[in-house]
Amino acid sequence: MKSGLASIAAAVMMLMASTANAQTKDTLTIDLPNDAATLDPHLQWNTDSYTVYRNIFDNLLTRDTSGKIVPQIATSWTYDNDTTITFKIRDDVTFQDGSKLTAEDVVFSINRIINPALKSPQLSQFDQIKTAEALDATTVKVTTKSAYPALLAQLVKLSIVPKAYVEKVGDQEFNLKPLGSGPYKLVEWQKGVATNLAAYDNYWRGEPPFQKVVFRAVPDVSTRLADLKTGKADLIRDVPPDQAASIENDSNTKLLSGETERVGYLYINAEAGPTKDVRVRQAIAYAIDKQGLVDALLEGYGKAVDIVGAEPIFGYTDAVKGYRYDPKKAAELVKQAGAEGATVEFLTSPSYPRAVVEAIQQMVNEAGLNVTISSSDQATFLKRRQGDADNAGGLAFGAWSCACQDADGIIFPLFRSGSIWAKYKNEKYDALVDEARTVLDEEKRKALYAQAYEILREDVPGLGLYQVFALYGAATNLEWKPTANEAMFVMDMSWKQ
């Protein structure tokens, strides 16, 4: 009898433990290096912001895990001619206030992001769109200024926002209290601390896998790692390569990695300060040992590149050769430019690997310049980087991804004059990238981008360093496969009991 009672008690305890475990996994906790700079999907384009707001909103189109462009809010699309495309829109989607998503919301979203008054950092990636109009509740016609071969690739990241709500509350309130049609709705945004989301029960794709998701801002790497290993976090982003083994060797955690379209690059100000002299910019290019960075600091989790672009993007070329590592040549050019000892401010933030930044600083200093590192939070970094050339620093580390896998989303916004990112102007370069975004012939587009990359090589307004391999730490029971565009879409995750 006692034995039977003991067995029943043991079974009850196991059931209670199992239930408790299931309850704890109602909440998924993700540690990010920084807080989101914005929750308005039409404003800042940076990884921490995108990671959060991508779960609040649906996009017009998306990519599957293989990288193929597939439907999301749009169910299908047809090219009427080279400049007109018609989209059919889902009729079973509601926003998180219960209102129905219609073609009017899609049109509003397109018109909002292409409106110069919004000052979206994403504007250059959508400004080839001329008009968008709703033909009926489920049909949208988009007209471009000319043939635009990268249109679908860019629309992959167009989030759909509710017209009535945005017009009612205004842009500032919408950023603080965003409302989308995605699987999770905002509960609370504690700036600098955490963003709390709750499952949207009427999500059109079905029940989200977790009832709650918490994105925490944890700038300190050691704290993120400790959170993961102690179970305080289920997923962390930006695992330093030298910590990869410690995650792999822990029975409660696993390392997730993937080659991405993101490229680590060095922005070099071509319009202000010592770097305005092309000889100084070329000296910086000669001074940096890219392969050394990959081998010593990335521990092989990366691939040195010769251009500002990586293999997953359309327009990538290996015909344009990079600068060889030549410290002596670098020093000679600095001397020729009369820039020995000149101070160059190097902008960065906790979003970027400090060891890489400091290694670049040392390499460039050895060429005869005086590089000083200025680190700030990501929002301040972005504001300076996008601002006037005189206040944008001489150098800045970047890890760029357009989530479109097309050179139009990389070198056009980074270097085309007039872009908020560009501190550089070359009319021949501008003409090439302008033409490349209006040509449907793929081989001709590739040839145009090859010429554009050659100009960037000579002028060095930026320097491609390496293709980024994304590294994540995850609890062993979390099921998720990273993608080339680094979208941390919680609907694609699940918990293995």
Side-chain angles (χ1 to χ4, degrees), residues 229-368:
K229 293 178 180 181
T230 59
K232 292 180 180 178
D234 304 302
L235 180 64
I236 65 173
R237 191 170 68 75
D238 274 11
V239 173
D242 62 358
Q243 295 296 321
S246 72
I247 291 178
E248 291 181 307
N249 295 333
D250 191 309
S251 61
N252 295 316
T253 63
K254 61 185 176 181
L255 184 74
L256 303 176
S257 67
E259 297 183 14
T260 74
E261 66 173 287
R262 184 177 300 279
V263 59
Y265 79 101
L266 187 68
Y267 143 80
I268 309 175
N269 193 335
E271 294 185 336
T275 53
K276 188 174 182 180
D277 190 318
V278 69
R279 293 170 296 182
V280 174
R281 301 197 300 275
Q282 290 175 345
I284 292 168
Y286 279 116
I288 298 174
D289 180 4
K290 300 176 185 180
Q291 192 60 50
L293 293 176
V294 171
D295 293 341
L297 300 180
L298 304 185
E299 300 198 6
Y301 289 107
K303 186 185 296 181
V305 295
D306 287 332
I307 62 173
V308 184
E311 288 188 51
I313 70 164
F314 179 90
Y316 174 82
T317 177
D318 58 8
V320 177
K321 301 305 178 184
Y323 288 76
R324 68 186 185 279
Y325 174 50
D326 191 338
K328 183 177 178 180
K329 179 68 173 177
E332 289 174 356
L333 284 169
V334 169
K335 189 173 182 179
Q336 287 176 21
E340 292 174 293
T343 298
V344 179
E345 186 181 18
F346 192 169
L347 305 184
T348 188
S349 87
S351 291
Y352 309 117
R354 182 76 182 195
V356 173
V357 171
E358 291 178 346
I360 292 172
Q361 176 194 33
Q362 181 178 342
M363 292 174 186
V364 178
N365 279 346
E366 289 174 355

Side-chain angles (χ1 to χ4, degrees), residues 121-122 126 130 145 149 157 162 166 177 206 342 351 355 412 431 444 469 473:
Q122 303 176 55
F126 294 98
K130 183 179 179 181
K145 297 174 184 176
K157 57 183 181 289
V166 176
K177 299 178 181 179
S351 291
F412 189 95
K444 187 173 182 180
F469 290 8

Side-chain angles (χ1 to χ4, degrees), residues 69-88:
I69 296 175
V70 295
Q72 192 160 75
I73 292 302
T75 60
S76 62
W77 50 91
T78 305
Y79 270 98
D80 303 323
N81 52 56
D82 286 353
T83 60
T84 306
I85 184 169
T86 299
F87 294 91
K88 293 301 293 184

